[in-house]
Amino acid sequence: MMLVALLAIPLLGATLSWRAADRLATALHAATATLTVIGALAVTITVNRGEPLVAFDGFLRADALSAWMIALIGLVAALAASEAPRYVARVRAGRFYALFHLFVFTMLLAVSTDDVGLMWVAVEGTTLASVFLVNFERTRASLEAAYKYLLICSIGIAIAFLGTVLVYFAGIQQFGDEVHALRWTTLVRLAPGLSPRVIELAFVFLVVGYGTKAGLAPMHTWLPDAHSEAPAPVSALMSGVLLSVGVYAILRFKPAVDAAAGAGFARGILLALGLLSVGVAAAFLWTSPNYKRMLAYSSVEHIGLVCLGLGFGGTLGTSGALLHIANHALAKSIGFLLTGRIRAAYGSAEIAAVGGLLHGMPRTGAAFLAAMLALVGLPPFGLFVSEVMIFGAGFARGFPIVAGVALVLLVIAFAGLLRGVHAIVFGPSTGAPTAETSAWRPVLPMAAAFALLLLTGLTWPPGLGATLDRIVAIVVP
Amino acid sequence: MTTASNLLTFLGLVVTLLIVWRQSWPARLRLFAAQSLLLAALGATVGVLAQRRGLLLVAVVVIVIKGVVIPRVLARIGSGAPVRPIAPGRSSGIRLLVAGALVVVAYVIMLPVTSAVELPTEGAIPLAFAMALIGLGLCVTGRDALGHILGFLVFENGIFGLAILATYGLPGIVEAGVFLDVLVIVLIMEAVVVQVRHEHDSIDVENLRELRG
């Protein structure tokens, strides 16, 4: 019931906002975002206290892994929603809010269903809901970004469909379609009896397909365009949680593949793609002239790290990867929301056009610097802890070469990102920004997100270990 | 069943190769509609012979959406397109040769699937996958938005054909999602193409080359 309510809130909000305008639209938007985050946290707490939530005869199902994603989507959506009114003050507010909440709805649906077919439909829905958001400013560049995004992700998701079909095929060949109805719970139970060759082929298609949505190299080419051209709240949602939803889809299939084909197969693919993603991001972080693109490539890097963690596996690697997903979601959405403010003040997203940010916009500049230091993985922020966990798992579980190469690439990426940040924050002043607001209320949501990042960075909150262990028990058989 | 499914899928592949070969947009559009009708026939045949009533409904929906609605939308998109001059020396021969190679590749990739089971329809599975691969090739090498959309749709048809042959129909919610998805993608593409044409006076994607680095 609670799960149905959680999904109904953004869907209802989206429907109501479509024709709304002005203050009514903003009020609806605020109410929907608030209720969504409350619902998300309620579901998360309930699931972690007891059994998975189930609705519609098991069609909708939220276990600990779903709950982790639901909490992240709720939090990042609320954070992004708090900034959204800045971007739509003038035009078509109702449309923007409607698509925004529809986008949130599709992501929530993707992580809270037991049916891998419906999960596929929902992930495809995320593309369709967000493509107009990417092109919301209707410039030439945003149009190009939206076109690339729609085309590449549609192809990717069609490949994921092929993978899903093959998984279903393997299931009904072995057990008949009365038993097997594309349910994840059934799939994991039956997995040891499935044909390993077919499941391997299916997993390749699934990784390529959902990996496109996750922004893994070499399927990442749509990502820098879409993330940099979308309005900042949309970039925050896309980079913060949409990419992780792609990883989630891959992660759902991993235990079944491990059981059917042995643990080495999925691991090899995840490690190779993870390493390649970190490498590609490291190269482009050095050359990108645009700070929103720079943040987009940093997302490719972090998704690569998450894949490495999942590939190393074990309790340490998997929980490190999950924690990294959460930390990255918080830090990257703060980062993108701040770039939105910077872009509005300076009128350009080029690094060269923004200099001396700390001088021109002291508060925004300081927050931006802090978010970037978090993203490069420095303490006291949570990303440091999760990166240590991931690399610790790599060395401890016998992959010193992969972990070593990744570490070198990480240092290159670190230097590349810091070089850009240095030019922005401390470089010679170039433009004259419009004055930043000194009100305290707009700062609150971001301050709360920073507090969460510090919380995972400085302490190990009570209950976190137990929560992560529950999820690890689901994905590592 | 083996004969019928092999024949229909083979005809689908022939139509795909014709799409690769033809240069004129209206002809390619007609070929796409024909391919969709073949797919519907395949669905209906498998539905009758394997006694899956659901597939008959799927066949009807394929005829309506892919045989009628989508070709109409595509015709509307293409009606304002400048006629693309066929550059001298750009022969279809090479592309047909590549398409032929893709058929072989499809057989190799689908080996695990065809060797795993004894299905009456298994012989046609690589043919359907070859359709998908050629569609993907058309999509990637397409020079304008129309080429991209058509390639994507052929790709999707191939995968859908494979799904019918391998599983005799997926659960209803997934089928519905697939149709809705294709329809919405085509409609969004139309909106995008309208805007591209408005901005650039042509739908050549060479104009979309600003975002780099």
Side-chain angles (χ1 to χ4, degrees), chain A residues 59 115-118 120-121 124 127-128 131-132 135 138-148 150-151 154-159 161-162 164-166 168-169 172-173 177 181-182 195 197-198 201 205 224-226 228-229 284 287-289 293 297, chain B residues 52 109-114 116-119 125 129 132 136 139-140 144-146 148-149 152 155-156 159-160 162-163 166-171 173-174 177-178 180-181 184-185 188-189 191-193 195-196 199-200 205 207-213:
Chain A
F59 201 57
D115 189 299
V116 290
L118 185 64
W120 177 82
V121 174
E124 172 61 34
T127 313
L128 301 181
V131 66
F132 284 114
N135 189 22
R138 290 187 154 258
T139 61
R140 286 176 74 131
S142 76
L143 174 66
E144 177 186 344
Y147 181 78
K148 255 184 173 174
L150 179 64
L151 193 68
S154 299
I155 292 174
I157 212 71
I159 295 175
F161 177 65
L162 183 54
T164 310
V165 166
L166 288 180
Y168 183 60
F169 164 78
I172 59 173
Q173 280 313 310
D177 54 358
L182 267 181
S195 156
R197 296 287 90 74
V198 177
L201 185 63
F205 288 131
D225 299 340
S228 62
E229 293 306 322
F284 278 98
T287 57
S288 182
R293 292 180 82 80
Y297 279 114
Chain B
R52 299 296 173 106
I109 294 181
M110 279 295 136
L111 266 181
V113 176
T114 46
V117 288
E118 293 293 327
L119 271 181
I125 289 178
F129 187 60
L136 189 59
C139 187
V140 172
D144 56 19
L146 290 172
H148 289 160
I149 302 175
F152 173 74
F155 174 56
E156 214 275 337
I159 293 178
F160 199 75
L162 191 150
T167 66
Y168 296 176
L170 294 158
I173 176 104
V174 183
V178 173
L180 189 68
D181 171 43
V184 173
I185 287 179
I188 292 182
M189 277 288 186
V192 171
V193 166
Q195 201 190 338
V196 173
E199 296 256 346
H200 303 282
V205 281
N207 290 323
L208 295 180
R209 287 290 157 93
E210 282 174 13
L211 297 176
R212 285 289 165 104

Side-chain angles (χ1 to χ4, degrees), chain A residues 99-100 102-104 106 124-133, chain B residues 188:
Chain A
L99 288 169
F100 182 94
L102 193 64
F103 184 30
V104 173
T106 51
E124 172 61 34
T126 61
T127 313
L128 301 181
S130 55
V131 66
F132 284 114
L133 288 172
Chain B
I188 292 182

